[in-house]
């Protein structure tokens, strides 16, 4: 198989998709997280500030989902096809909540009536919670493996198969991680009373995350042994969980010292490290068949042709700096605390 | 069978709904760029007010376009798994390019476009407006390329057999410039410009009729009329080219467009008609030999008809394809007539005195929308029974593992959510239009320069 810098093309693309998903989780993670806290703010002005903190960027953040989905389709069409058709219901719910959330953000400020704004506030918050949760549920199913039969066809049945205990746990963990991450983001964007309030919410968020993360880790080690196999065979890989734990530990340490910029960096790193952990545990499998390892979807049997992957690497090499460039430009333009003006939501 | 039908209904419904919005975004984007550029050159605050007003409406169409677009991207995987595996290698690079070049450009600059009026210099803002506009144009490129590849596949070879078969790319540029992509892209772009221009025309015609925002509306109406006239006429060219391409590359589709059954005979062109598939007749008003003439400039030249193809390779819904196509063409002609008429009145200096003409423009906003939809329905239904022309049948392409109940569940969900979305869209559109480009004093019919100036100095 052809390689580039000693790594074969399907593996390169695995890294690209991983980087995109990680970017997506960090970016949409903080705005889902911010949305999940929304109903904890009681005053109209607080809600507007919290909403406008994500106002100029949430749409750009969702671009990462589109690019990530496109990258999966392009590089691993087999994975894309089986992944989305097997987890049909959670993905359909995800799409519906994406729509509800966008609608809520856009429409909330368009009418002054209290009932109108309350309705959209609730929609916004519940959608944010459900989106974070569903991402975790999907991740849990991927980690655990799903019933893939021959010809990459999903062989399971039942409407609610995706809702199993492990998926619920990973769902809760993802939600709590994003809530922690989102609260830190909001602290960078707010001041005064709201800032104080979010500080106390962040403390609760951190506890929520530690607890759910602890339970999930324990459950994984006890009941899903295949996920820790790689680490027993290759002790060097223990560096990754170690870094993950260090990064997690840094978040409360920095938060109590009110160094929220650094705390945000470390909550972002935590998300990345957790995904690296997932990637190491899975690779070269992309989607594990719980029926028979022969039916596993791997980076090799799912990949597009080398020719196609090469073309896409060129596209990424040209496109990624551009995307990074204007992402930075947007975040610079809207840096600092939120100031409401007539163009705000 | 049932799953296939449901999957097709769901896809058609979600994509048709989606396609209300991106053309509006592209078309309004063009007009926003024009308004803002004129403002930057002339510093006339009226153009600034116009740019801001249309940006607000653009935000509405763009937002709905994005979320309904995400649905489309994932629906390939959820409902068309076999298709996704089959085309992923080819189609995927176009989709990836769309995401990374186009969508990121649009959404990246959108924040500045919407919220940056007071935060960046005017020229930087114009850069953002142009960025968003170009982004939406690029989006159209990659999506139309991908769809055109389904109509006229090129630059690939087939690997594997049965369920494992798939197309692999051999030549990226041959895939991008497949035989139909340029013609169809131009046709789609122009359709989008018309959708945007006619919305601007409609709203400002309404203001003129109601005696509100008179000066600013006259300016906006004239600019949009120029855009609409140029592109209505242009659409005649791109449409003709597209049809030529269909004749060359998808003869079965062409035959369905005009209801032409005889395997090899001169073909007529219908102005309107009704196709009886079983009797193989078309009843209607026709130009004998018209289609032959359009293709070869000779009414006697034979054109390949539907009977030249095996039964299972003909579009099953001939009458529907025929009707959608003719609706599109008829509307295209109506738009040309309407815009030329308006230009004529403008030349005579009576454009804004003809109230009936302004009323016609108020309602004409629906025409490009209907034409865009009808055109796509003709293109997609005319391609049947293939999802990839000549290679993969629609009946083989859907997700085998997804059950009827699952699709029914999601279809109902989408139906409810989109109905709500449409109601909200119309409500907010009405509200923004009712409010207008700037605040009016009660009972005041005309804009006051001082007020506009005040509004602008606040920024």
């Amino acid at each position: 198989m052809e390689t580039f810098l000693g790594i074969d093309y399907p593996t390169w693309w695995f890294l690209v998709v991983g980087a995109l998903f990680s970017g997506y989780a960090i970016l949409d993670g903080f705005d889902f997280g911010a949305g999940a806290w929304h109903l904890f703010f009681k005053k109209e002005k607080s809600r507007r500030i919290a909403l406008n903190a994500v106002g100029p960027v949430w749409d750009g953040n969702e671009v990462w989902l589109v690019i990530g989905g496109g990258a999966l389709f392009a590089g691993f069409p087999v994975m894309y096809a089986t992944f989305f058709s097997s987890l049909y219901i959670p993905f359909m719910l995800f799409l519906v909540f994406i729509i509800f959330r966008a609608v809520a953000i856009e429409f909330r400020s368009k009418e002054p009536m209290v009932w109108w704004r309350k309705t959209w506030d609730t929609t916004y918050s519940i959608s944010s919670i459900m989106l974070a949760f569903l991402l975790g549920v999907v991740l849990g199913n991927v980690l655990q493996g799903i019933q893939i039969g021959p010809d990459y066809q999903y062989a399971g049945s039942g409407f609610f198969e995706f809702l199993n205990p492990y998926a619920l746990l990973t769902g809760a963990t993802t939600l709590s991680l994003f809530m922690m991450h989102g609260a830190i983001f909001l602290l960078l964007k707010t001041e005064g009373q709201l800032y104080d309030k979010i500080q106390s919410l962040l403390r609760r968020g951190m506890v929520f995350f530690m607890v759910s993360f602890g339970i999930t880790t324990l459950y994984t080690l006890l009941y899903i042994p295949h996920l820790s196999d790689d680490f027993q065979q290759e002790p060097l890989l223990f560096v990754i969980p170690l870094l993950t734990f260090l990064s997690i530990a840094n978040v409360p340490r920095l938060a109590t010292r009110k160094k929220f910029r650094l705390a945000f960096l470390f909550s972002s790193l935590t998300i990345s490290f957790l995904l690296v952990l997932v990637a190491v545990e899975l690779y070269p499998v992309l989607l594990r068949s719980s029926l028979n390892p022969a039916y596993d979807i791997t980076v090799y049997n799912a990949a597009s042709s080398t020719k196609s992957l090469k073309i896409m690497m060129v596209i990424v090499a040209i496109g990624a700096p551009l995307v990074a460039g204007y992402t930075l430009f947007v975040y610079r333009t809207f840096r600092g605390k939120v100031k409401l003006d007539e163009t705000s939501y | 069978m049932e799953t296939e039908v449901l999957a097709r209904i769901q896809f058609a419904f979600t994509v048709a709904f989606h396609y209300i919005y991106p053309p509006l975004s592209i078309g309004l984007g063009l007009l926003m760029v024009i308004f803002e550029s004129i403002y930057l050159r002339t510093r006339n605050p009226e153009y600034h007010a116009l740019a801001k007003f249309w940006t607000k409406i653009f935000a509405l169409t763009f937002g709905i376009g994005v979320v309904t677009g995400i649905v489309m991207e994932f629906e390939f995987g959820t409902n068309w798994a076999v298709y996704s595996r089959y085309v992923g290698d080819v189609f995927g690079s176009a989709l990836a390019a769309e995401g990374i070049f186009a969508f990121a450009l649009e959404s990246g600059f959108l924040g500045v476009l919407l919220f940056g009026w007071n935060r960046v210099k005017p020229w930087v803002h114009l850069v953002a407006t142009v960025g968003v506009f170009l982004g939406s144009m690029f989006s159209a490129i990659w999506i139309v390329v991908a769809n055109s590849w389904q109509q006229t596949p090129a630059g690939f070879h087939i690997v594997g057999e049965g369920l494992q078969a798939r197309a692999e790319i051999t030549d990226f540029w041959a895939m991008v410039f497949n035989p139909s992509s340029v013609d169809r892209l131009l046709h789609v772009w122009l359709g989008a410009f018309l959708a945007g221009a006619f919305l601007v025309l409609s709203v400002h015609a309404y203001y003129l009729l109601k005696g509100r925002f008179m000066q600013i509306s006259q300016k906006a109406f004239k600019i949009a009329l120029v855009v609409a006239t140029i592109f209505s006429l242009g659409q005649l060219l791109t449409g003709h080219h597209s049809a030529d391409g269909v004749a060359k590359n998808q003869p079965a589709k062409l035959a369905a467009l005009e209801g032409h059954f005889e395997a090899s005979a001169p073909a007529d062109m219908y102005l309107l008609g009704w196709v009886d598939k079983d009797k193989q007749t078309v009843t209607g008003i026709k130009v004998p030999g018209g289609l032959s003439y359009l293709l070869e400039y000779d009414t006697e030249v034979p054109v390949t008809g539907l009977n030249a193809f095996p039964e299972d390779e003909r579009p099953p819904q001939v009458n529907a394809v025929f009707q959608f196509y003719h609706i599109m063409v008829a509307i295209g002609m109506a738009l040309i007539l309407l815009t030329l008429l308006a230009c004529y009145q403008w030349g005579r200096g009576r454009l804004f005195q003809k109230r009936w003409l302004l009323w016609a423009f108020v309602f004409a906003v629906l025409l490009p929308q209907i034409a865009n939809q009808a055109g796509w329905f003709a293109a997609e239904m005319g391609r049947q029974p293939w999802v990839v022309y000549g290679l993969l049948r629609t009946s083989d392409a859907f997700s085998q593992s997804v059950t009827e109940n699952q699709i029914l569940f999601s279809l109902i969900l989408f139906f409810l959510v989109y109905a709500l979305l449409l109601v909200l869209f119309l409500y907010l559109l009405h509200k923004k239009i009712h409010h207008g480009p700037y605040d009016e004093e009660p009972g005041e019919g005309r804009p006051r320069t001082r007020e506009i100036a005040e509004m602008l100095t606040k920024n």
Side-chain angles (χ1 to χ4, degrees):
Chain A
M1 182 167 282
E2 270 190 84
T3 60
F4 177 66
L5 301 176
I7 297 174
D8 58 59
Y9 280 94
T11 305
W12 270 114
W13 200 252
F14 180 71
L15 295 174
V16 168
V17 172
L20 288 171
F21 282 0
S22 164
Y24 172 67
I26 291 171
L27 291 172
D28 231 8
F30 78 68
D31 67 51
F32 288 167
W37 291 114
H38 198 67
L39 295 180
F40 287 83
F41 314 129
K42 300 296 176 204
K43 291 190 205 126
E44 164 67 13
K45 181 138 189 256
S46 307
R47 288 185 174 183
R48 278 195 70 198
I49 288 174
L51 191 64
N52 279 287
V54 300
V57 293
W58 68 274
D59 201 17
N61 295 346
E62 274 176 15
V63 170
W64 288 73
L65 175 67
V66 175
I67 300 179
L72 195 67
F73 191 177
F76 302 117
V78 171
M79 170 65 180
Y80 174 82
T82 307
F83 184 42
F84 287 104
S85 56
S86 314
L87 294 167
Y88 189 84
I89 296 294
F91 276 115
M92 284 297 164
L93 290 173
F94 185 83
L95 292 174
V96 168
F97 283 116
I98 281 262
I99 295 175
F100 269 124
R101 183 165 181 275
V103 170
I105 295 175
E106 289 295 333
F107 291 151
R108 175 191 193 278
S109 61
K110 303 297 192 290
E111 290 286 352
M113 291 88 81
V114 175
W115 66 266
W116 173 274
R117 296 201 160 184
K118 272 197 173 152
T119 308
W120 291 122
D121 281 336
T122 312
T123 311
Y124 171 61
S125 196
I126 290 177
S127 318
S128 301
I129 291 170
M130 286 307 295
L131 286 166
F133 180 72
L134 284 167
L135 281 179
V137 164
V138 166
L139 183 72
N141 279 290
V142 170
L143 282 169
Q144 212 175 192
I146 56 179
Q147 301 188 40
I148 304 170
D151 285 328
Y152 315 120
Q153 293 282 351
Y154 178 61
S157 60
F159 225 74
F160 296 109
E161 218 168 55
F162 68 97
L163 280 182
N164 46 66
Y166 188 62
L168 294 177
L169 270 179
T170 49
T173 307
T174 309
L175 173 62
S176 63
L177 174 61
F178 286 176
M179 284 177 84
M180 178 175 86
H181 189 50
I184 301 172
F185 176 78
L186 286 176
L187 285 168
L188 298 175
K189 289 283 170 187
T190 53
E191 48 204 346
Q193 275 187 337
L194 182 58
Y195 177 86
D196 297 337
K197 165 129 197 181
I198 296 169
Q199 278 199 3
S200 75
L201 291 177
L202 174 60
R203 278 194 287 279
R204 285 195 246 172
M206 288 188 297
V207 173
F208 177 27
F209 172 64
M210 298 298 168
V211 171
S212 43
F213 179 69
I215 299 175
T216 309
T217 308
L218 211 61
Y219 190 102
T220 311
L221 293 172
L222 288 176
Y223 297 108
I224 314 188
H226 70 85
L227 288 177
S228 38
D229 284 353
D230 284 351
F231 294 98
Q232 280 158 17
Q233 283 156 16
E234 190 70 66
L236 255 182
L237 287 176
F238 269 110
V239 173
I240 298 160
L242 192 70
L243 283 173
T244 313
F245 284 115
L246 282 178
S247 153
I248 291 174
N250 251 324
V251 176
R253 191 180 69 85
L254 292 161
T256 45
R257 295 186 190 176
K258 305 201 179 201
K259 292 188 173 163
F260 293 118
R261 268 168 185 278
L262 275 176
F264 188 70
L265 178 70
F266 276 96
S267 65
S268 304
L269 279 177
T270 301
I271 295 174
S272 291
F273 282 135
L274 285 170
L275 283 172
V276 171
L277 205 58
V278 168
V280 170
E281 283 164 345
L282 289 175
Y283 180 87
V285 173
L286 287 170
L287 197 56
R288 191 171 172 276
S289 166
S290 55
L291 300 176
N292 182 344
Y295 301 147
D296 281 356
I297 293 176
T298 70
V299 293
Y300 298 107
N301 65 24
S304 290
S305 60
T306 305
K307 166 111 189 158
S308 188
L309 291 172
K310 276 185 184 167
I311 294 168
M312 291 182 303
M313 294 289 282
V314 173
I315 293 175
V316 169
I318 301 170
L322 288 174
V323 175
Y326 39 71
T327 305
L328 277 177
F329 169 65
V330 173
Y331 278 83
R332 260 188 68 81
T333 307
F334 297 99
R335 68 186 178 278
K337 307 289 182 187
V338 175
K339 297 272 182 289
L340 297 177
D341 65 17
E342 93 278 358
T343 61
S344 302
Y345 283 120
Chain B
M1 180 63 194
E2 204 61 45
T3 323
E4 182 200 343
V5 173
L6 283 169
R8 285 184 66 182
I9 291 175
Q10 178 168 296
F11 199 89
F13 173 67
T14 49
V15 79
F17 187 82
H18 172 63
Y19 204 68
I20 298 171
Y21 305 97
L24 283 177
S25 301
I26 295 175
L28 290 181
L30 176 67
L31 282 142
M32 280 147 50
V33 169
I34 296 174
F35 291 146
E36 205 173 335
S37 305
I38 298 179
Y39 166 66
L40 237 65
R41 274 189 77 85
T42 63
R43 297 282 164 172
N44 179 346
E46 284 176 320
Y47 290 103
H48 195 249
L50 278 174
K52 271 187 119 164
F53 173 61
W54 284 104
T55 300
K56 281 184 192 158
I57 292 177
F58 170 89
L60 205 56
T61 63
F62 188 88
I64 302 183
V66 170
V67 288
T68 53
I70 293 178
V71 171
M72 299 324 302
E73 184 187 352
F74 288 89
E75 225 173 330
F76 291 122
T78 52
N79 290 87
W80 301 93
V82 178
Y83 161 86
S84 298
R85 278 193 285 266
Y86 192 89
V87 303
D89 196 280
V90 173
F91 190 104
S93 42
L95 204 72
E98 198 243 333
I100 211 155
F101 291 132
F103 200 46
L105 187 66
E106 283 178 293
S107 298
F109 280 123
L110 188 74
V112 181
L113 173 64
L114 300 184
F115 305 102
W117 293 99
N118 311 333
R119 284 181 179 253
V120 295
K121 294 197 182 75
W123 72 265
V124 178
H125 193 272
L126 178 61
V127 169
T129 312
V130 172
V132 171
F133 169 59
L134 287 181
S136 62
M137 297 263 294
F138 291 164
S139 264
I141 295 182
W142 298 107
I143 292 302
V144 173
V145 161
N147 183 274
S148 296
W149 186 86
Q150 284 174 251
Q151 311 277 353
T152 53
F156 70 101
H157 64 153
I158 302 291
V159 179
E161 277 173 14
L163 271 176
Q164 308 287 343
R166 67 182 200 180
E168 280 192 0
I169 199 163
T170 53
D171 182 343
F172 179 71
W173 295 110
M175 182 277 288
V176 172
F177 292 103
N178 66 66
S180 64
S181 48
V182 175
D183 286 337
R184 300 177 79 238
L185 176 63
L186 292 174
H187 204 53
V188 161
W189 270 345
L190 265 53
F193 295 156
L194 289 174
F198 273 89
L199 181 60
V200 174
L201 285 167
S202 168
V203 170
H204 287 289
Y206 181 76
Y207 289 147
L208 289 165
L209 285 164
K210 295 290 162 189
R212 299 177 65 195
F213 315 110
M214 296 292 276
Q215 284 171 344
I216 203 171
S217 288
Q218 290 193 359
K219 290 196 168 71
F221 191 92
K222 284 176 183 168
I223 291 170
L225 180 59
V226 172
V227 172
T229 311
I230 293 171
F231 293 123
S232 302
L233 288 167
Q235 204 61 313
L236 206 56
L237 282 178
T238 65
H240 181 68
H241 265 273
S242 288
D244 261 353
V246 174
K248 268 191 221 89
N249 303 308
Q250 295 172 286
K253 187 201 268 189
L254 183 85
L257 291 176
E258 284 293 356
H260 179 53
F261 286 95
E262 274 181 87
S264 182
D268 307 329
M269 185 177 68
Y270 284 85
L271 299 179
L272 51 106
W274 193 261
V275 184
D276 187 325
K277 194 174 129 192
D278 300 326
K279 290 189 198 139
Q280 302 213 335
T281 53
V282 187
T283 325
I285 307 166
K286 68 179 174 184
V287 181
L291 183 60
S292 295
Y293 185 79
L294 273 181
L295 297 173
E296 301 289 341
Y297 306 105
D298 180 349
T299 55
E300 299 299 319
V301 172
V303 175
T304 315
L306 285 167
N307 292 342
F309 302 89
E311 185 108 37
D312 67 347
E313 291 182 14
R314 298 176 204 164
Q317 313 277 350
V318 184
N319 190 41
V321 175
F322 179 99
Q323 297 306 339
F324 281 126
Y325 173 72
H326 283 81
I327 289 170
M328 176 188 75
V329 174
I331 289 177
M333 297 302 160
L335 296 182
I336 291 174
L337 276 180
L338 189 60
T339 48
L340 287 181
L341 190 63
C343 287
Y344 171 70
Q345 296 293 354
W346 186 3
R348 293 173 67 202
R350 293 186 190 171
L351 178 56
F352 299 120
Q353 276 105 61
K354 304 283 177 194
R355 291 184 70 84
W356 57 269
L357 188 61
L358 291 176
W359 274 116
F361 274 103
V362 170
F363 292 105
V365 63
L366 292 174
L367 295 178
Q369 287 289 344
I370 297 170
N372 284 336
Q373 295 281 347
W376 273 108
F377 271 92
E380 296 296 282
M381 293 181 80
R383 192 192 56 229
Q384 302 301 329
W386 306 101
V387 66
V388 180
Y389 196 70
L391 294 174
L392 182 66
R393 285 175 185 278
T394 311
S395 54
D396 294 329
F398 62 93
S399 302
Q400 318 282 337
S401 65
V402 175
T403 62
E404 281 165 45
N405 283 340
Q406 286 176 317
I407 307 183
L408 217 51
F409 169 77
S410 56
L411 183 58
I412 293 170
L413 213 54
F414 278 126
F415 188 75
L416 295 174
V417 174
Y418 283 9
L420 174 73
L421 218 49
L422 186 67
V423 170
L424 282 170
F425 171 71
L426 292 175
Y427 171 71
L428 290 173
L429 186 66
H430 169 261
K431 195 174 141 90
K432 281 185 198 298
I433 293 170
H434 186 73
H435 177 268
Y438 48 86
D439 295 319
E440 281 174 314
E441 297 248 314
E444 175 109 35
R446 307 190 54 178
R448 295 186 314 165
T449 338
R450 191 175 60 82
E451 192 184 350
I452 302 172
E454 254 173 22
M455 186 190 76
L456 292 168
T457 44
K458 262 194 284 179
N459 300 335

